[in-house]
């Protein structure tokens, strides 16, 4: 899965965690998805079905704001990596 982000920078597949988890189980799928910026509760929801998180690694605040149009900073991406890792989701950085 991949796609655009919500205004907070997340890719809100976590809002459909129950449905995705059922489809994954029914079809015996492995799922990787671009997560965008996530907080602890979003990472926990993602951990119920994601086999791997695809995460942007952006270290420049101006790039995040000017190119992606998000009111976010590099620290938000760093925190996302920490939360996904703490939730036990393997991470594949996307440069």
């Amino acid at each position: 899965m991949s796609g655009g982000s919500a205004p907070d920078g997340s890719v809100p597949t976590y809002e459909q965690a129950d449905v995705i988890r059922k489809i994954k189980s029914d079809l015996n799928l492995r799922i990787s998805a671009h997560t965008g910026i996530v907080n602890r509760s979003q990472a926990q929801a993602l951990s119920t079905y994601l086999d791997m998180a695809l995460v942007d690694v952006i270290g420049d605040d101006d790039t995040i704001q000017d190119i992606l149009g998000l009111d976010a900073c590099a620290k938000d991406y760093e925190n996302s990596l920490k939360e996904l890792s703490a939730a036990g989701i393997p991470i594949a950085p996307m440069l």
Side-chain angles (χ1 to χ4, degrees):
M1 292 179 197
S2 187
S5 66
D8 68 355
S10 70
V11 178
T13 60
Y14 53 82
E15 292 177 352
Q16 302 300 322
D18 292 340
V19 173
I20 296 169
R21 193 169 43 253
K22 180 170 180 2
I23 292 169
K24 176 182 176 169
S25 175
D26 290 351
L27 299 177
N28 195 29
L29 298 174
R30 295 188 48 81
I31 298 177
S32 62
H34 184 241
T35 62
I37 297 170
V38 297
N39 61 34
R40 179 170 294 155
S41 65
Q42 293 163 341
Q44 288 298 319
L46 291 167
S47 74
T48 67
Y49 64 87
L50 271 190
D51 296 296
M52 180 166 289
L54 309 175
V55 182
D56 291 324
V57 178
I58 305 172
D60 182 71
D61 293 347
D62 290 335
T63 299
I64 294 164
Q65 294 160 10
D66 296 342
I67 304 300
L68 299 180
L70 296 174
D71 184 22
C73 63
K75 187 73 172 170
D76 295 318
Y77 284 91
E78 181 182 338
N79 289 337
S80 294
L81 291 168
K82 288 178 183 176
E83 294 299 346
L84 291 163
S85 181
I89 304 171
I91 297 168
M94 300 176 66
L95 305 173

